[in-house]
Amino acid sequence: MRAGLSFGGLLAVVLVIAAVAGSFAYLDMPLGALFTGAAAGEIADFVGRFFPPELAPAFLAKVGWAALETLAISLVSTVLAAVAGAVLALPAAGRHGVAGRVAARFVLNLLRSVPELVWATLMVLAAGLGPFAGTLALALHTTGVLGRLFAEALENTPPAPAEALAGTGAPSLAAFLYGTFPLVAAQWLAYALYRWEMNIRMAAILGFVGAGGLGALLYFSLSLFHEAEASTVILAMLAMAVVVDGVSAWLRRASA
Amino acid sequence: MGFSLEGVGLTHANGFRALRGVDLRIAAGERVALIGASGAGKTTLLRVLAASLRPGEGRVKLLDGEPWVCAPAALRRLRARIGLVHQSPPIPPRQRVVTAVLAGRLGQWPLWKSLASLVLPVDPDGARQALARLDLAERLYERCDRLSGGQLQRVALARVLYQQPDLLLADEPVSAMDPALSELTISLLNEEATRRGVTLVASLHAVDLALRHFPRVVGVKDGTILFDLPAAQVSDALLRELYAAEGGLPLVGGLRAPEPAETAGELPPLRCA
């Protein structure tokens, strides 16, 4: 083997550079304009309008309630998704025959491949504006994700403990809960907590399509060019994400 | 109340022929040891007796029922009366000892009771008594992954003691225990079977344990029954034939000098391996 770049490697580098250059040309991006003195002034001006954040008590209370709504949406949707995901994971892991496996996998794929924002738009049309639509949308997408992860955990679990219990005549639900569930519980919880962290960020965004919470507030503020208010909402989102990450890390440690 | 096998043959899914034309009849209350080299078919035979494996050929009668002829509900009821101690304890590592022991009666309890017991153990005293007989009572609320291999095997035994089956089966129940503990544990199994008048079948790797504790010994070789004799009639020649492939007799070893009155007295010359 020779030292240095092979012909194939060289070709790949040239192709990537050509693709990037082509993309810039196609998108017609005036990148140069970002670095002029006038642009710098405009940027400073734009960012400056977000400061200081709006701290009037009435608005803070509004943000607080919206944050609670976002938290509730993410929590309820994740719990619903974890339950529905567990129910679908059993057939998806092949525990009820081949037909059940194919059907469950199809449903999970369908739920997962439609993004949250699309589900939210559909649910707003179906169930009307508000947090209910946001909760349903997040629950549907997360069911698809968690169901697939749960099923994979189940497939990697040794069957001996549950089989031994079935061998003493235990009903299949009891054999599952005593023989299989303890083996996957920690992993299932870790997956659910991870999705909860993602859902709280997503719940903050869903308000943009009318599904309630902090996102709705952010959308109103920005539409009315109230940048100071928007800044408060963004800070609230950040704070909530930090708190939820901490809580979920603590829960994971406690369950390990 | 015993069981009988007639011409039982079984081929595993991978094509391995584990049992061939096995005839075995054991009366209620008998205590039988299965011995034989690794891979001889002892585990498969025990799983057939536990109504867990369905043989491809022959007839199986267990506790006066035919497991593969009766309805699924009857099969479940039959299985609830059979207790099998597995070779490697099939217990989830994160489960608490009390839950693992109480799981022995899942086949007898109604479902709501099994579910309630997951939240709050419904019969901790029963579990404690079963564990106390194996000297593990103080580990009741410990997690199973904090136990040693031998302790875990005793938890699996406690589960079967708690189940109180009519047919008690054990697949190498002492493989992870030291000699003194093996001795005690095998005594306990025999005592339990005698006290409750139930049938006991245990496969053992240590020949001296089998000969000392069980009135009847069945030698299994290459999926067939080589001999089926009272312990006193098991000769050195038969044992040598049984373990021909392994090149020596597996014994608990260095335990104590066997009492001259017992058949094990013939064994020391065989320790050459």
Side-chain angles (χ1 to χ4, degrees):
Chain A
M1 206 161 148
R2 282 177 305 125
L5 214 54
S6 70
F7 175 72
L10 200 65
L11 189 68
V13 171
V14 169
L15 280 178
V16 168
I17 290 174
V20 171
S23 303
F24 268 108
Y26 178 71
L27 292 176
D28 194 22
M29 287 207 342
L31 261 190
L34 269 182
F35 301 102
T36 60
E42 269 180 52
I43 290 171
D45 193 35
F46 178 73
V47 173
R49 270 180 279 156
F50 283 83
F51 291 97
E54 175 66 59
L55 292 176
F59 185 70
L60 279 186
K62 227 163 127 187
V63 170
W65 283 116
L68 270 185
E69 193 170 85
T70 298
L71 188 70
I73 291 174
S74 72
L75 200 60
V76 172
S77 63
T78 310
V79 169
L80 284 178
V83 172
V87 169
L88 281 169
L90 290 176
R95 293 188 175 235
H96 302 287
V98 177
R101 181 189 157 97
V102 172
R105 297 229 153 198
F106 177 76
V107 172
L108 290 176
N109 281 336
L110 189 72
L111 291 173
R112 192 173 64 240
S113 53
V114 177
E116 294 100 323
L117 273 172
V118 177
W119 274 127
T121 318
L122 288 173
M123 288 303 116
V124 167
L125 287 179
L129 292 170
F132 182 59
T135 309
L136 276 183
L138 275 182
L140 285 171
H141 180 79
T142 311
T143 299
V145 176
L146 284 183
R148 161 134 186 259
L149 292 172
F150 286 3
E152 269 168 22
L154 272 181
E155 282 177 350
N156 295 328
T157 303
E163 280 174 6
L165 293 171
T168 60
S172 51
L173 180 62
F176 172 78
L177 288 176
Y178 278 78
T180 307
F181 187 69
L183 294 170
V184 294
Q187 210 178 352
W188 282 17
L189 181 69
Y191 284 143
L193 287 173
Y194 173 64
R195 286 308 302 193
W196 183 42
E197 290 172 33
M198 296 183 68
N199 278 351
I200 195 136
R201 286 187 279 269
M202 210 56 220
I205 301 301
L206 287 185
F208 270 78
V209 296
L214 279 177
L217 210 53
L218 184 64
Y219 184 66
F220 296 143
S221 310
L222 285 178
S223 313
L224 299 171
F225 297 104
H226 291 165
E227 286 91 348
E229 289 185 358
S231 162
T232 312
V233 176
I234 291 171
L235 286 177
M237 285 179 175
L238 184 71
M240 211 157 64
V242 168
V243 169
V244 167
D245 281 9
V247 170
S248 119
W250 173 75
L251 274 176
R252 250 178 300 205
R253 260 201 313 280
S255 74
Chain B
M1 279 277 284
F3 60 81
S4 69
L5 304 182
E6 283 171 34
V8 165
L10 191 142
T11 308
H12 284 301
N14 61 10
F16 178 70
R17 195 145 167 70
L19 293 178
R20 262 178 294 204
V22 171
D23 291 307
L24 189 62
R25 189 177 297 272
I26 293 180
E30 266 197 284
R31 290 177 290 121
V32 180
L34 294 179
I35 58 173
S38 308
K42 303 191 294 290
T43 298
T44 307
L45 184 55
L46 280 168
R47 294 194 61 200
V48 168
L49 294 179
S52 306
L53 271 185
R54 181 176 192 162
E57 308 139 29
R59 273 182 83 182
V60 184
K61 275 193 195 169
L62 302 170
L63 303 169
D64 303 327
E66 287 197 50
W68 306 113
V69 179
C70 60
L75 175 60
R76 274 209 324 111
R77 279 197 300 276
L78 182 65
R79 282 174 167 173
R81 297 169 60 200
I82 303 175
L84 171 63
V85 182
H86 294 255
Q87 192 165 6
S88 46
I91 295 174
R94 302 167 61 92
Q95 199 160 53
R96 283 190 303 174
V97 169
V98 58
T99 313
V101 173
L102 293 181
R105 288 205 191 154
L106 292 183
Q108 299 156 34
W109 285 350
L111 189 60
W112 64 264
K113 196 170 174 186
S114 306
L115 298 185
S117 187
L118 278 175
V119 182
L120 184 73
V122 290
D123 186 16
D125 291 330
R128 191 193 302 275
Q129 276 167 25
L131 287 164
R133 298 177 63 190
L134 293 147
D135 209 16
L136 274 179
E138 78 283 5
R139 298 300 192 102
L140 190 60
Y141 290 108
E142 196 120 13
R143 254 170 54 170
C144 287
D145 53 4
R146 306 269 154 85
L147 304 179
S148 72
Q151 286 171 332
L152 197 61
Q153 247 179 357
R154 283 186 280 157
V155 171
L157 273 165
R159 172 190 277 186
V160 174
L161 290 183
Y162 182 70
Q163 186 191 347
Q164 302 205 320
D166 294 332
L167 173 55
L168 183 51
L169 306 170
D171 190 6
E172 310 235 356
V174 296
S175 57
M177 297 183 198
D178 62 56
L181 199 56
S182 303
E183 195 76 30
L184 279 173
T185 307
I186 295 297
S187 305
L188 176 75
L189 275 177
N190 275 285
E191 181 193 300
E192 169 80 4
T194 315
R195 188 173 62 85
R196 293 189 41 241
V198 299
T199 316
L200 169 66
V201 182
S203 77
L204 288 169
H205 203 59
V207 175
D208 48 348
L209 273 181
L211 295 180
R212 223 166 327 119
H213 288 282
F214 291 82
R216 180 174 166 190
V217 176
V218 172
V220 184
K221 189 179 185 185
D222 298 333
T224 57
I225 289 182
L226 184 71
F227 60 82
D228 178 359
L229 293 168
Q233 290 173 28
V234 177
S235 67
D236 294 2
L238 276 176
L239 289 176
R240 277 186 217 285
E241 191 187 339
L242 187 64
Y243 288 100
E246 287 204 337
L249 263 191
L251 299 168
V252 163
L255 192 59
R256 70 174 83 113
E259 292 82 352
E262 291 192 6
T263 46
E266 300 163 10
L267 281 176
L270 285 169
R271 283 182 203 234
C272 50

